Amino acid sequence: MAYCYYFTNPIANISRMKSYIVRHILLLAAVVPGIIAWAQDGTTAYEFLQITPSAHVYGLGGHNIALIDDDINLVEQNPALLGPEFNKQVGVNYMKYIGSTNFMGLRYGQGLTEHSALAVGIQYYGYGSMTEADASGAILGSFNASDINFNVTYSHDISENARGGITLKYLYSKYGDYSAGAIAADLGINFYNPDNELSLSVVAKNLGGQVKKFDGTYDSKDHLPWDIQIGFSKIMGTSPFRLSITAYNLRKWSLPYYEPEDKNNVNSDLIKKENFGSNLMRHLVLGLEFLPTSNVWVGMGYNHKTRTDMSTYQRNFFSGISLGAGMKVKSFGFNVAFAQPHTGATTFMLNLTTSLGELLK
């Protein structure tokens, strides 16, 4: 859905831009110390933040910050995709993930003014029951593990074709008797030209850090998976096809992976794979959609990092490939997506959106 921009007063426009810039400077001043403190190499926690709740995005490779559509679930990818056109829209999502893992969430959007909007959401990640054991390996019973993401998003039109947004998140993790919490922020900007259906975005994701540790101490595994992403999406000429390219993990160029030296021997030693081409491709997610009408889409995505993260014995033809489709019927939107990251995991995602304003008419 195109942006709804109606700027007629240049002085008011400049005032809005100044106010918007000041707000972003203040927020950056708050989170930059956190970025410096936590932006070290090492294993991160809260990796669930990298799993999108949007079936449209998941069907196009799992990352897409520039997709323009009438779907409030897309706001999770980029706060600048929120706008007053999502007034009173509700989005729900469900994902059957690996093993007994189930994810679900809810998001609601509200237009504030002609040029600003607010959205609130909650995302639940349940990992099912797990066996509990002590340091000696003795079984003590079982425990449940889960993560919850509470979030609030605000967006504002910067100019006729540009919009900025901020998402603030409180993250709560509960693993058995242990719990932890973190605060994070996403900052996004989107430029959209409706004349040629061109969308460009830049997003800084998951800036912040923990406020409550599992064991009360800090270590390298407490880092949030913060990231810088750049996205492009465009209708290809007059055709019914839309191409999307998203560059992610941009805070680090080198992304090596490992393959067995002997692909016919499961116990073979692993060898490191890294060159310019593989590093470039492991930063990109490609998505292609067929849009026969304004209310229907069918698409597929390719994520090279997902594919190469799986060794020869863990992947199949579908590893790194995802498929999705969606349609809108009256005030309801339906999106589904399917992927099989490795041989032992088939994932399925379902989204539903509706406009309460249209339903109550």
Side-chain angles (χ1 to χ4, degrees):
M1 177 179 290
Y3 287 173
C4 300
Y5 294 136
Y6 302 97
F7 277 52
T8 57
N9 187 331
I11 296 177
N13 188 11
I14 294 173
S15 177
R16 289 188 186 96
M17 290 180 68
K18 287 182 178 178
S19 176
Y20 182 83
I21 292 170
V22 168
R23 285 196 298 268
H24 275 67
I25 290 174
L26 291 175
L27 182 59
L28 284 171
V31 300
V32 163
I35 297 173
I36 296 172
W38 284 288
Q40 307 162 7
D41 291 335
T43 303
T44 60
Y46 302 94
E47 289 294 330
F48 61 88
L49 292 171
Q50 303 195 54
I51 303 173
T52 179
S54 166
H56 201 157
V57 171
Y58 194 68
L60 298 179
H63 297 276
N64 194 316
I65 63 172
L67 194 60
I68 304 297
D69 199 6
D70 185 18
D71 180 1
I72 196 168
N73 292 298
L74 296 173
V75 172
E76 174 273 339
Q77 286 286 288
N78 181 358
L81 298 181
L82 175 68
E85 64 269 20
F86 292 113
N87 185 46
K88 296 183 180 180
Q89 186 175 127
V90 176
V92 296
N93 65 80
Y94 170 77
M95 183 180 194
K96 175 63 178 176
Y97 204 56
I98 300 170
S100 60
T101 301
N102 292 275
F103 303 155
M104 60 194 73
L106 174 69
R107 181 172 273 103
Y108 172 77
Q110 178 69 52
L112 298 178
T113 69
E114 193 176 20
H115 304 292
S116 63
L118 184 75
V120 293
I122 181 173
Q123 193 70 26
Y124 172 80
Y125 305 81
Y127 309 113
S129 179
M130 303 180 186
T131 301
E132 182 178 4
D134 61 19
S136 65
I139 303 301
L140 302 178
S142 61
F143 68 96
N144 292 316
S146 63
D147 294 302
I148 303 178
N149 175 356
F150 302 93
N151 52 81
V152 178
T153 301
Y154 173 80
S155 71
H156 197 284
D157 298 345
I158 303 173
S159 69
E160 185 177 358
N161 295 100
R163 175 179 290 164
I166 301 171
T167 294
L168 298 177
K169 297 178 276 192
Y170 177 73
L171 313 172
Y172 176 76
S173 299
K174 176 71 172 176
Y175 301 162
D177 296 329
Y178 299 91
S179 64
I183 294 176
D186 297 346
L187 305 178
I189 295 176
N190 175 255
F191 170 87
Y192 178 63
N193 187 340
D195 295 332
N196 58 11
E197 298 284 352
L198 170 66
S199 176
L200 300 171
S201 291
V202 178
V203 179
K205 289 190 172 185
N206 304 318
L207 307 177
Q210 284 196 321
V211 293
K212 181 180 184 295
K213 318 304 193 292
F214 280 109
D215 58 0
T217 63
Y218 174 83
D219 61 40
S220 62
K221 293 184 179 181
D222 289 335
H223 304 154
L224 268 65
W226 75 278
D227 193 14
I228 304 296
Q229 300 183 2
I230 299 174
F232 160 91
S233 181
K234 189 181 186 306
I235 298 290
M236 300 170 66
T238 59
S239 74
F241 293 95
R242 177 164 56 190
L243 174 67
S244 296
I245 302 175
T246 305
Y248 72 120
N249 276 333
L250 295 184
R251 66 189 180 93
K252 183 179 181 181
W253 166 252
S254 178
L255 296 175
Y257 64 99
Y258 296 84
E259 290 280 5
E261 187 174 19
D262 183 357
K263 295 183 179 181
N264 296 316
N265 181 3
V266 69
N267 296 317
S268 174
D269 292 335
L270 298 177
I271 57 175
K272 183 177 180 180
K273 296 277 190 175
E274 182 180 20
N275 54 49
F276 178 84
S278 70
N279 276 327
L280 176 63
M281 286 302 298
R282 280 168 61 80
H283 282 283
L284 300 179
V285 175
L286 309 178
L288 182 65
E289 298 168 85
F290 172 57
L291 308 169
T293 73
S294 60
N295 293 325
V296 177
W297 70 274
V298 179
M300 68 178 297
Y302 179 68
N303 188 321
H304 191 64
K305 185 176 185 300
T306 297
R307 181 172 183 82
T308 51
D309 279 347
M310 302 295 105
S311 69
T312 305
Y313 302 102
Q314 295 174 309
R315 65 173 179 246
N316 57 22
F317 174 80
F318 286 103
S319 296
I321 297 175
S322 55
L323 304 172
M327 64 184 300
K328 185 174 181 180
V329 180
K330 294 184 178 180
S331 61
F332 290 93
F334 305 88
N335 291 314
V336 295
F338 164 87
Q340 193 174 45
H342 63 81
T343 56
T346 298
T347 59
F348 175 80
M349 182 180 289
L350 171 67
N351 284 176
L352 170 66
T353 61
T354 189
S355 172
L356 296 182
E358 294 182 23
L359 286 177
L360 298 175
K361 285 182 179 179

